[in-house]
């Protein structure tokens, strides 16, 4: 049976509502809370150089800085590993 236009619109509206509910189940908590000045620099850099380049550079700098810390004795739970992905 083919759906009518009204049924299709109702289905689309219901699907949008389900997706909205799903997206709001968990709050998006940032891993690092940058201050407003740093966020402004990041946005300007993304606009000038592109998101991929800025992501690569920030990951390189942060990864290098964190490699200086003694983290060998710290283990993450499965929940923490999933949140990082």
């Amino acid at each position: 049976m083919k759906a009518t236009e009204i049924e299709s619109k109702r289905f689309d509206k219901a699907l949008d509502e389900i997706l909205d509910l799903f997206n709001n189940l968990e709050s998006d908590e940032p891993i690092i809370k940058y201050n407003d000045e740093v966020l402004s620099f990041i946005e300007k850099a993304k606009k000038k150089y592109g998101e991929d380049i800025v992501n690569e550079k920030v990951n390189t700098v942060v990864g290098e800085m964190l490699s200086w810390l003694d983290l060998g004795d710290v283990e993450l739970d499965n929940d923490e590993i999933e949140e990082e992905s």
Side-chain angles (χ1 to χ4, degrees), residues 6-57:
I6 293 172
E7 290 170 328
S8 292
K9 287 181 182 181
R10 285 182 62 208
F11 178 78
D12 288 343
K13 186 177 178 181
L15 185 57
D16 288 340
E17 183 68 24
I18 290 171
L19 291 173
D20 188 46
L21 288 170
F22 177 78
N23 288 333
N24 292 319
L25 285 176
E26 288 187 28
S27 61
D28 289 335
E29 201 56 40
I31 293 174
I32 297 176
K33 295 176 181 156
Y34 295 108
N35 64 39
D36 291 341
E37 182 180 27
V38 172
L39 288 172
S40 176
F41 288 147
I42 291 171
E43 289 303 318
K44 288 178 181 179
K46 285 172 32 178
K47 188 172 185 178
K48 183 170 185 175
Y49 298 105
E51 190 170 336
D52 290 341
I53 295 293
V54 174
N55 285 339
E56 180 184 338
K57 298 292 184 186

